[in-house]
Amino acid sequence: MPSVEIIAVGSELLTPERVDTNSLWLTAQLNELGFEVTAKSIIGDQRQRLTQAFRQALESADIVLATGGLGPTEDDVTRDCAAEALGVSLEHWDSLWDDLKAKFARMGRPIPENNRRQASVLQGGESLPNPNGTAPGQWFGRQHGALILLPGPPRELKPMFTNHVVERLRPLAGDNVLSRRTLKVYGLGESAMDQMIAHLYPQHPEVTVITLFTPLDLEIHLLADGPTAEQGLAKIAPLEQAVRDVLDLYVYGHSTQSLAEVVGGLLLQSGQTVVTAESLTGGLVAQRMTEVAGSSRYFLGAYVTYSEGMKQTVLGVRPELLQQYSAVSPQVAEAMALGARQRSGADYALSLTGYAGPDGGTDKDPVGTVYLGLAGPQGVESKRVKFPGDRELVRSRSAQASLDWLRRALL
Amino acid sequence: MPSVEIIAVGSELLTPERVDTNSLWLTAQLNELGFEVTAKSIIGDQRQRLTQAFRQALESADIVLATGGLGPTEDDVTRDCAAEALGVSLEHWDSLWDDLKAKFARMGRPIPENNRRQASVLQGGESLPNPNGTAPGQWFGRQHGALILLPGPPRELKPMFTNHVVERLRPLAGDNVLSRRTLKVYGLGESAMDQMIAHLYPQHPEVTVITLFTPLDLEIHLLADGPTAEQGLAKIAPLEQAVRDVLDLYVYGHSTQSLAEVVGGLLLQSGQTVVTAESLTGGLVAQRMTEVAGSSRYFLGAYVTYSEGMKQTVLGVRPELLQQYSAVSPQVAEAMALGARQRSGADYALSLTGYAGPDGGTDKDPVGTVYLGLAGPQGVESKRVKFPGDRELVRSRSAQASLDWLRRALL
């Protein structure tokens, strides 16, 4: 699959607030056309650095696509740097200059002399029309590749790419497109998973594997190219199956499915309902379940009993239990789950009690210790889990562990 | 101002979905310390390309900061490429390997052999401890500069930068530092706010103003440089005051304060408590309140009554009310708030009922319509709000509106 490097030009893109959204949009378009983006960079308006960046990208990738820096000011150095890196000169095009003058005349404004820069084109290149602004784009063909210059504003860049770049790129893409399959995994560390499945990769050299570790779970991206999306997916299928065979229940879903969505699907299939009884998570499990559209068909509600008083009045946890074992104990986790199941009439109840930190915890149960409860048609169970990380992470991981427990119970 | 180039490593960062948020956070920190970010790039896990990128960055900038690619797998090539670009070798540190083994032992897991890679350090470099993960960082000093390797996960990167990199960077920083003051604003649209305050900016040309529109609220960043942070902040202060005078109660906080944190502070000051009764938000208000450490001092719990049955049994909403007005009505919002306040004994109760979508809604109350209730010592009130956006956005905005109502009630 031919490679693309994207260079965004402009010091204003190097502030803490700005995200280079152009490159995300372009990556999606390029992947669909059958190109792989192998690097992207943002370079300030410095002539020497930008020229170097062009040189390196031209060496490394088939296609180099630059955005921004095509305006009329001294700071707009993209044209000059591209020319220098390619070793060609810039030519003044009278026809472009006439277009620009006409554009300004239509706006009833005199054309500043420095707009003349926008009429210069890489020697041997083509100019790409810009109906939405003053900066024309440029296409410079190379052996099996191209250098492309596009304006920075998204409403100029996007139509120019769609209307003038796609048709020129298509012949360079070969006929191949990139297909992707994502597996979502819960319950394994990154290196443990790697050890389980890394030996499978070399048997499928046509598939690129990317593993992604998030605070909540793992993603395995399987990528392959082929003349059609179907053919790419057909290459991926055997490795996907091999991975699923090894990881088994650790794989909970695919694509963008969340764990709550998968659990919801299982409840819906079996016509069962759930409630939650939450202490340290403060409603986070409920919030994740109700993120899913249509969750009212299986999710009845939640009892967020943050205080001991509410554990007693709302869930009927006996004061002796709290006194003897403390609120963070398997006994209380089980009592919370039982109380929630009985009072709501749901088929299942999940409960969570623990120390999220930064304060709290005991020698026996330090911060990060959480007791999970699960009450269902077969009775009630509890388990103790211990998570590293700060308050947010402990809460988030507890919620995920609770959802995964229900998923496994439903399978 | 000394220059920094940031290199993010990882093919998974080159997909259309992923934003390199680390580099945005690092840019803010570096600017404050007195460094200018002059380029940043994202490079896939390709050894040759990454080595080239390191070489070029080392040539162009004083400081080179790389994130990611420090894991234990074959794909994690950052250490090797940095060594090659610097022309030094990697040394195995027994002490690091012992630390890693101890870390795995504490988690009760056997250490995979491939984690050995994480114990190798650039010859002449220093290792930076990582209490939040397995990958240590690295600092390699150069004349007037440094090469820094940090882990990719934000929870590992941020504390490592703050605790181990800042002190090493400070002596390399320039004479001027960039100071920043952030105001958080709720309840105004971007252009409405712009109309109210844009005329103030030209009177303070030494301050750069950036307004940032998020799905939940607005941020106003005020920036100025000076030989010390105090001198920068002194330049900012008059404009901050002018903005606060105009926006008044719309400004709810500053820096990274969340609305839930501000509300929590007000409750704590007045020694009062709160509960929530949530339908469409499914526990989101409770979850935001309990994100704040120490929230158990004023947050008692939540009744997430997603089903009509639970609205009746848990909150005592009368069936006639539900039948006559439907669950999404001011009457039910008020009954939910009253029931929650009475049953919990809290000083305040917030309630939310509405149509988050995509299904549901009526001609009178289409998707996006939400009734908020507030019960307190002065009685109960409700109000109708209507939010554009998808399910997630409607839920999120409803939660924020509810919190802001309580904030204004407490002021």
Side-chain angles (χ1 to χ4, degrees), chain A residues 5 17 39-42 49 52 56 60 194 212 282 286-287 290-291 300-302 304 306-307 391 393 395, chain B residues 5 12 39-42 49 52 56 60 73 155 180 282 286-287 290 300-302 304 306-307 391 395:
Chain A
E5 295 203 9
E17 294 81 20
K40 54 186 199 179
S41 43
I42 303 176
R49 183 64 182 86
Q52 276 182 348
Q56 189 167 74
S60 311
D194 205 55
L212 206 70
Q287 197 262 312
T290 57
E291 261 171 8
L300 301 186
V304 181
Y306 218 56
S307 67
R391 178 181 180 83
L393 214 47
R395 283 158 45 94
Chain B
E5 295 204 8
E12 75 280 5
K40 54 186 200 180
S41 43
I42 303 176
R49 183 65 182 83
Q52 276 181 351
Q56 189 166 77
S60 311
T73 75
R155 286 160 195 296
R180 170 190 306 262
Q287 196 262 313
T290 57
L300 300 187
V304 182
Y306 218 55
S307 67
R391 180 180 178 83
R395 283 158 46 93

